[in-house]
Amino acid sequence: MPALTVPLIAPSILSADAARFGEEIKAVDEQGADWIHLDVMDGHFVPNITFGPVIVKALRPYSKLCFDVHLMIEPVDLFIEPFVKAGADQILFHIEAGPHAHRTLQTIKSFGIKAGIVLCPATPAQAISELLDMVDTILIMTVNPGFGGQKFISSQLPKIKQIRQMADATGRDIRVSVDGGITKETAPLVIKAGADVLVAGTSVYGQQDYRQAMNALRGTDKK
């Protein structure tokens, strides 16, 4: 299916005030967010540690929006059920995190939730060509995963375009999401390339007016 006319905004709570995660989720929900993006890091697959299923479960009551849980962990399969039980609406995992991505997608889908695959900047689009019949979301990292606030890697723009074309060719309703260095300057570039979900951390949570910040990313602030 073609990209959405107006992209979805998924604020990443990694950039929010960690002492007020619940209130910060409620705030962006009330100000017009579409999804809530939760970055799970294990200190192994990426050089940082964030939180696990217990925290996700504690945050679930603060919003009914899609909890878009991005697992930057290795191995993945052992943790799928705990995150589903914690309240994940969609689980994303990295193609680089293990040899049996198809099985992991099957496991996620078996719980009746949506499944997504993630590509690091060095991973080519073709790496997921055999998985397109199962994914609901494809997330392209435009920074190397592990930390918020990094600079956008512009060489990923052709890959976003290629993945959009691959997704559209399936005839399925696949969202193309982009995460990393998304600002009001880079957002139009990724939207033009075919992204229809923008994961944004500091460009939302680093601003005083969350609604205005999200509309700026959508490009609707001038309409």
Side-chain angles (χ1 to χ4, degrees), residues 13 16-29 58-63 205:
I13 68 166
D17 180 350
R20 300 175 58 251
F21 271 164
E23 290 81 0
E24 291 276 50
I25 286 174
K26 184 178 180 181
V28 292
D29 182 331
L59 297 175
R60 182 69 270 189
Y62 287 89
S63 173
Y205 279 119

Side-chain angles (χ1 to χ4, degrees), residues 155-168:
S155 63
Q156 298 305 292
L157 289 169
K159 186 161 76 177
I160 297 169
K161 184 176 180 180
Q162 183 180 359
I163 288 176
R164 176 81 266 167
Q165 292 170 342
M166 290 167 63
D168 289 351

Side-chain angles (χ1 to χ4, degrees), residues 96-214:
E96 306 89 0
H100 306 299
H102 193 276
R103 180 183 296 159
T104 301
L105 287 168
Q106 286 179 316
T107 302
I108 296 171
K109 292 283 204 175
S110 74
F111 289 101
I113 69 168
K114 292 187 175 182
I117 197 83
V118 190
L119 296 88
C120 288
T123 303
Q126 197 61 27
I128 62 167
S129 63
E130 301 302 316
L131 303 171
L132 296 174
D133 62 326
M134 295 192 69
V135 297
D136 298 292
T137 297
I138 302 167
L139 175 60
I140 301 111
M141 296 298 300
T142 42
V143 299
N144 288 294
F147 298 95
Q150 297 184 67
K151 186 177 179 181
F152 180 82
I153 301 175
S154 59
S155 63
Q156 298 305 292
L157 289 169
K159 186 161 76 177
I160 297 169
K161 184 176 180 180
Q162 183 180 359
I163 288 176
R164 176 81 266 167
Q165 292 170 342
M166 290 167 63
D168 289 351
T170 68
R172 299 181 63 244
D173 189 16
I174 299 174
R175 300 275 70 86
V176 175
S177 181
V178 178
D179 182 1
I182 300 300
T183 65
K184 62 182 181 179
E185 290 77 30
T186 60
L189 302 178
V190 301
I191 293 169
K192 183 178 179 180
D196 51 14
V197 181
L198 308 182
V199 177
T202 54
S203 57
V204 173
Y205 279 119
Q207 310 304 311
Q208 289 188 335
D209 188 324
Y210 293 165
R211 185 182 298 279
Q212 184 179 44
M214 289 186 281

Side-chain angles (χ1 to χ4, degrees), residues 2 4 9 41 48 52 68 89 104 114 116 164 190 195 197 222:
L4 298 173
I9 304 298
M41 306 181 187
N48 201 359
D68 184 40
D89 296 295
T104 301
K114 292 187 175 182
R164 176 81 266 167
V190 301
V197 181
K222 299 170 185 172

